[in-house]
Amino acid sequence: MAVNKKIEMSGLVQGVGFRPFVYQLALRFRLNGYVQNSSGGVSLEVEGDPHAIDAFMEALETEMPPLARIDQLDIRENVYTGYETFTIIDSEESDAKSVPVLPDIAICDHCLSEMKDPGNRRYHYPFINCTDCGPRYSIVETVPYDRPNTSMRFFTMCRQCEAEYKDPINRRYHAQPISCFECGPTLRLLDTDGQCLNEGEGSIIRAVEALKVGKIVALKGLGGFHLLCDATSPDAVLRLRRRKKRVAKPFAVMFPDIQHLKASAKLSAEEKQLIVSKEKPIVIVSKINGSMVCDEVAPGIGRIGVFLPYTPLHHLLLDRLGGPVVATSANLSDEPIIRESGVLMQKLGHVIDLVVDHDRAIVNANDDSVMQVVAGKHLFLRLARGFAPRSIVLPFNTPKKILAVGANQKNSMTLLFGNRLVTSPHIGDLNSIEAFEYFERTVETFRRIYGFEADVVVCDKHPGYETTRWARQLQTRNPKLQLIEVQHHYAHLLAVKAEHRLVGKVLGFAFDGTGYGDDGTVWGAEVMIADEQSYKRQFRLRPFRLLGGEKAVKEPRRSALALLFEYLPLDDILALDLPLLGTFTEDELYLQYKGWEKGLNAPYASSMGRLFDAVASLADIVQVSSYEGESGLKMEQYVDAAITRHFAYSIEEGVIDLERMLRAITEMTDRVEIVSMFFNTLTEIICDIAARHPELPLVFSGGVFQNRILLERIVRRCREMGRSAYFQSETPVNDGGIALGQAWFALHIKDTATEAV
Ligand code: ZN
Ligand code: ZN
Ligand code: FE
């Protein structure tokens, strides 16, 4: 006997080809009824044989379109109506602002094979896309996500494209950026004066010729421009470094395909899976000896960031080139990624030789995501293209609209409203006017896309953070707005709790560079017992001075010197045979000592990041670093797992003291021994502290845990101890995760009560 079932679902079910998918399933199982978009997602009725409906339901959940995700599903028995067909009902766009805007997605296999098929009308078309792939967030101006609200509104569909767009069983049904040679954007090759040298495929041919002779080419991607050069040519890479004034910071490398990539990098199964995923992030992996990629790409480091082409244009260019390219974001340091060729020429005209440009505007910039696999789990170093904006449906509703503005470095923001949690893409370091404008533009974009008017704004406690100033000013202008400030390291830990929905007390290790402490001093190696409402700082590293303040961040040798000053008399230090001492003149050493004695521009800090720096300097691995995180990255290579000894340390009244480690290191010369024992010591300290609170789950966050070796060891040791260890795998462990922790705190303070649904 035929029955009727009514099904409602929410999640990522709109604008992802869900209705045509349901339509085709209904035809397959001979069911009648309808499907339509609703305010919260998709609703449908199916009528027919109960067994067929069961099979339909199973297929619904297992064969979903690649971009779809069902968060909530509700099935009810319904009155039998007697439908005679199955139909797609056009949307009323009732409450379109609750529909999430999806991230940009790499070209799908279908489109790729069409693009490579000489018989297809989109053969070699650089903007081919379908409902399952292509640009989204980067082209959207406002919601609903319809062509007139995107930068594709300047292109009128030709008849053939329009027919595909309107056909419910076509795989380009309602694909907003649909286009073809006849009606879509066009490629142009420009010189650095903006003169057009070529149009169409000729642009790619000439760009490839230029790359082959060592030239630097800017290419418009999904969320911004890349700078490209031949990754196998030391000359080309050094030219890029020289022109961009980027001494040693590693570049990411894009390979034509996975076979080429495997010839240059050692991949685990998880790493490979991530590299070929529909998001196509940059993944940091181990380089193999004999790799085609020259050493200048990542000098002195055994790991490289690799990724695959993710737009049709990338594929066309790399297929023709047949080898790997350096592909680095086009920007001036501390500024956001560039998305217009005019700005590109103005700012980087001296760096590039040619520009591959096109006329589909990038509305919202978005950098490449950067990840690594640690202990089998995904770890974000940067959450951006492919993953963000990330929208998650929560199992409860909040009456408040919370905007968390994050930290100053690796900034990102989080929105919490209704039952939705939205994480913005990586915005970056807010050290320039351009970067801060980008931050403000992103706030505005999210306000527009989600119809979001914050009534709670959350920021860090650091009075010097641009985001803190911005939030405080916003509150001054709008006194009804609630302003909440959250301690930096507590926010790190709350981000982990938020991701894992961990309720109640945890023992949290927040290890990073620096953050503003509740006592006004600099914190950075904090062990806290924390729940959603408050925290208690249980342990911390014994502070040492940051000689020269900010300068200490760039010069590991300053941290080493500060540690020496802390524990040894000056005469003893001068008698030591340490390479780091030789990097200062005698006058400089005395000057540093005076500064240390008097505390002139030398605040005390309990920073774990600076401790890494100090050890890297004492072991003569890095004295002056040319990019952030260099110490940790370089030290990884000196770890020998066969060395199991660790240095002696003491923990008294909550203070971790490493005097004995420091004294021991001054007598040692073997880098491998120093570094291995240092990693062992940190692991030992963490386990020691964990053992003092056997009842609490362990939580780890902060930039220091980007260190793969440290994190792997902790995971292994925790497993051996039978302890649960949690770290983030959906948001960055660095300051990119701060906004989530801030929002989570605001959600849990008393007057933002939540109601269960
Ligand atoms: Zn596609
Ligand atoms: Zn067309
Ligand atoms: Fe931090």
Side-chain angles (χ1 to χ4, degrees):
M1 229 224 5
V3 297
N4 178 312
K5 291 222 167 144
K6 185 163 168 81
I7 299 150
E8 314 239 18
M9 54 202 133
S10 62
L12 302 181
V13 287
Q14 293 192 9
V16 294
F18 207 87
R19 287 177 302 158
F21 159 69
V22 169
Y23 176 84
Q24 287 174 61
L25 278 190
L27 294 192
R28 195 204 308 170
F29 294 104
R30 297 171 195 283
L31 300 172
N32 293 333
Y34 69 89
V35 59
Q36 69 179 4
N37 281 346
S38 62
S39 61
V42 160
S43 68
L44 57 115
E45 279 183 47
V46 280
E47 279 185 359
D49 177 67
H51 295 294
I53 293 181
D54 288 347
F56 167 89
M57 283 310 298
E58 178 163 353
L60 188 78
E61 291 192 60
T62 54
E63 297 175 23
M64 248 186 289
L67 302 190
R69 189 187 76 210
I70 298 176
D71 291 335
Q72 274 163 2
L73 181 85
D74 177 55
I75 313 176
R76 266 175 304 147
E77 301 286 340
N78 200 24
V79 192
Y80 185 81
T81 311
Y83 294 108
E84 287 174 358
T85 55
F86 194 90
T87 47
I88 296 180
I89 300 178
D90 259 339
S91 37
E92 318 126 53
E93 314 291 1
S94 50
D95 188 10
K97 286 206 193 283
S98 73
V99 176
V101 170
L102 294 171
D104 302 309
I105 292 296
I107 180 172
C108 72
D109 289 345
H110 260 115
C111 289
L112 194 58
S113 58
E114 279 187 16
M115 189 188 75
K116 291 184 176 180
D117 171 10
N120 193 283
R121 73 184 189 95
R122 292 191 181 86
Y123 178 60
H124 282 192
Y125 181 56
F127 305 99
I128 188 169
N129 64 77
C130 72
T131 313
D132 296 343
C133 75
R136 301 258 170 160
Y137 173 70
S138 66
I139 58 166
V140 72
E141 284 163 350
T142 187
V143 286
Y145 176 66
D146 269 338
R147 192 165 171 118
N149 292 332
T150 71
S151 59
M152 282 303 290
R153 68 194 154 99
F154 303 106
F155 303 93
T156 313
M157 280 181 238
C158 70
R159 277 175 55 201
Q160 261 179 301
C161 284
E162 194 178 358
E164 290 175 310
Y165 182 86
K166 287 186 171 162
D167 174 5
I169 56 166
N170 191 287
R171 52 181 209 91
R172 296 199 168 86
Y173 176 64
H174 283 192
Q176 305 306 340
I178 188 175
S179 64
C180 69
F181 281 112
E182 203 178 311
C183 65
T186 37
L187 275 190
R188 291 192 312 159
L189 186 74
L190 309 176
D191 66 15
T192 50
D193 295 323
Q195 293 298 314
C196 180
L197 303 175
N198 229 309
E199 280 207 356
E201 198 162 5
S203 312
I204 297 172
I205 295 169
R206 284 190 61 179
V208 167
E209 283 165 3
L211 286 169
K212 280 184 175 162
V213 295
K215 295 262 177 2
I216 294 157
V217 175
L219 180 91
K220 194 170 181 178
L222 269 178
F225 277 90
H226 274 142
L227 303 180
L228 310 180
C229 76
D230 182 356
T232 67
S233 158
D235 281 351
V237 178
L238 287 175
R239 186 172 304 127
L240 178 59
R241 287 206 178 279
R242 217 168 32 239
R243 289 190 192 168
K244 217 182 165 216
K245 296 192 175 65
R246 179 158 152 161
V247 186
K249 190 178 176 187
F251 287 126
V253 179
M254 186 184 273
F255 291 82
D257 50 49
I258 190 74
Q259 282 74 32
H260 276 87
L261 200 158
K262 275 181 171 166
S264 285
K266 198 168 78 202
L267 305 182
S268 68
E270 289 97 352
E271 286 166 341
K272 191 200 148 199
Q273 212 175 23
L274 200 52
I275 289 166
V276 302
S277 69
K278 64 183 192 300
E279 291 87 3
K280 302 275 184 306
I282 295 173
V283 183
I284 316 264
V285 297
S286 297
K287 197 173 150 182
I288 58 172
N289 287 334
S291 155
M292 283 178 80
V293 175
C294 65
D295 292 339
E296 285 73 9
V297 165
I301 295 167
R303 313 220 342 130
I304 46 170
V306 298
F307 59 149
L308 291 177
Y310 53 84
T311 67
L313 181 53
H314 289 138
H315 276 281
L316 291 170
L317 188 126
L318 273 106
D319 280 353
R320 191 169 276 276
L321 183 69
V325 288
V326 162
T328 187
S329 300
N331 62 345
L332 287 176
S333 55
D334 279 346
E335 289 189 10
I337 186 167
I338 295 170
R339 60 198 165 99
E340 288 160 19
S341 55
V343 179
L344 179 78
M345 283 162 201
Q346 181 206 326
K347 300 209 172 205
L348 295 175
H350 60 290
V351 175
I352 54 183
D353 297 306
L354 286 171
V355 183
V356 180
D357 193 20
H358 60 72
D359 50 355
R360 186 181 72 200
I362 297 171
V363 177
N364 303 305
N366 205 346
D367 240 305
D368 293 314
S369 290
V370 184
M371 303 177 75
Q372 58 180 340
V373 177
V374 179
K377 285 198 178 132
H378 296 168
L379 198 77
F380 274 102
L381 306 181
R382 190 199 287 155
L383 178 82
R385 176 190 47 81
F387 297 97
R390 170 176 256 156
S391 172
I392 294 168
V393 172
L394 297 167
F396 53 78
N397 264 313
T398 164
K400 294 246 172 178
K401 290 187 168 181
I402 300 166
L403 168 65
V405 294
N408 231 44
Q409 308 300 309
K410 301 185 170 60
N411 178 269
S412 75
M413 63 185 78
T414 293
L415 274 61
L416 229 166
F417 56 98
N419 63 348
R420 198 171 286 281
L421 192 155
V422 181
T423 310
S424 83
H426 164 86
I427 294 166
D429 296 352
L430 305 179
N431 299 334
S432 66
I433 293 167
E434 285 77 5
F436 197 71
E437 279 171 0
Y438 179 31
F439 165 82
E440 290 190 303
R441 204 162 56 232
T442 309
V443 174
E444 184 52 32
T445 302
F446 278 71
R447 202 179 66 85
R448 206 165 45 222
I449 291 180
Y450 294 100
F452 180 87
E453 222 51 78
D455 44 32
V456 181
V457 62
V458 206
C459 63
D460 200 273
K461 285 192 171 177
H462 199 309
Y465 277 8
E466 294 297 336
T467 43
T468 306
R469 287 193 204 130
W470 184 88
R472 287 177 182 174
Q473 279 166 13
L474 194 71
Q475 205 264 341
T476 313
R477 284 200 305 272
N478 179 3
K480 274 193 196 148
L481 191 74
Q482 189 183 2
L483 176 72
I484 298 171
E485 301 183 353
V486 187
Q487 200 279 322
H488 187 89
H489 302 97
Y490 180 39
H492 268 306
L493 299 176
L494 285 175
V496 188
K497 284 173 66 75
E499 268 199 21
H500 296 276
R501 311 274 188 277
L502 277 176
V503 180
K505 281 192 167 60
V506 297
L507 183 66
F509 296 79
F511 290 176
D512 67 357
T514 55
Y516 191 80
D518 267 339
D519 55 6
T521 70
V522 184
W523 292 7
E526 313 308 311
V527 187
M528 299 172 164
I529 292 182
D531 61 19
E532 290 72 23
Q533 279 80 31
S534 64
Y535 73 89
K536 197 165 165 269
R537 194 183 182 206
Q538 290 295 114
F539 301 92
R540 71 196 160 102
L541 189 65
R542 177 170 154 182
F544 55 96
R545 288 195 186 278
L546 303 177
L547 298 175
E550 276 300 300
K551 272 193 190 151
V553 179
K554 296 223 163 93
E555 298 184 18
R557 59 183 185 158
R558 287 175 186 256
S559 292
L561 207 53
L563 262 190
L564 291 169
F565 290 157
E566 204 59 45
Y567 293 115
L568 302 172
L570 184 60
D571 288 342
D572 290 10
I573 295 171
L574 294 175
L576 290 170
D577 182 24
L578 284 173
L580 83 96
L581 297 172
T583 69
F584 294 98
T585 64
E586 208 161 305
D587 285 354
E588 282 171 341
L589 277 177
Y590 279 107
L591 216 64
Q592 292 295 337
Y593 187 74
K594 281 275 163 273
W596 175 82
E597 241 183 347
K598 298 194 169 140
L600 287 173
N601 192 22
Y604 269 107
S606 60
S607 166
M608 186 57 76
R610 299 296 79 77
L611 182 68
F612 267 73
D613 281 352
V615 175
S617 165
L618 288 162
D620 198 26
I621 294 167
V622 185
Q623 299 298 354
V624 175
S625 62
S626 63
Y627 57 91
E628 196 209 332
E630 188 177 357
S631 309
L633 215 59
K634 290 214 163 134
M635 277 158 86
E636 282 189 15
Q637 290 181 90
Y638 294 94
V639 176
D640 179 355
I643 299 175
T644 53
R645 284 166 294 128
H646 62 82
F647 295 111
Y649 60 86
S650 74
I651 302 177
E652 268 165 45
E653 291 176 10
V655 177
I656 304 159
D657 194 311
L658 295 169
E659 175 171 1
R660 277 179 285 177
M661 175 181 93
L662 179 87
R663 286 177 182 275
I665 291 179
T666 58
E667 320 253 289
M668 293 162 73
T669 49
D670 184 350
R671 287 172 177 164
V672 171
E673 217 179 352
I674 296 173
V675 173
S676 306
M677 286 181 69
F678 172 63
F679 276 87
N680 295 343
T681 309
L682 282 187
T683 315
E684 212 49 48
I685 290 171
I686 289 169
C687 293
D688 180 343
I689 290 174
R692 299 175 190 212
H693 296 276
E695 74 289 359
L696 296 176
L698 306 173
V699 157
F700 301 90
S701 186
V704 165
F705 294 107
Q706 292 174 116
N707 191 292
R708 187 178 49 104
I709 292 184
L710 180 64
L711 198 53
E712 265 167 6
R713 291 199 173 181
I714 291 167
V715 170
R716 196 181 62 228
R717 287 290 297 274
C718 286
R719 212 173 280 148
E720 285 165 12
M721 294 188 298
R723 300 289 295 271
S724 330
Y726 298 90
F727 58 92
Q728 289 144 278
S729 55
E730 290 170 8
T731 47
V733 295
N734 56 42
D735 282 3
I738 288 286
L740 173 60
Q742 292 174 342
W744 206 244
F745 179 75
L747 177 72
H748 286 92
I749 63 171
K750 292 244 160 53
D751 54 349
T752 39
T754 58
E755 43 175 291
V757 290

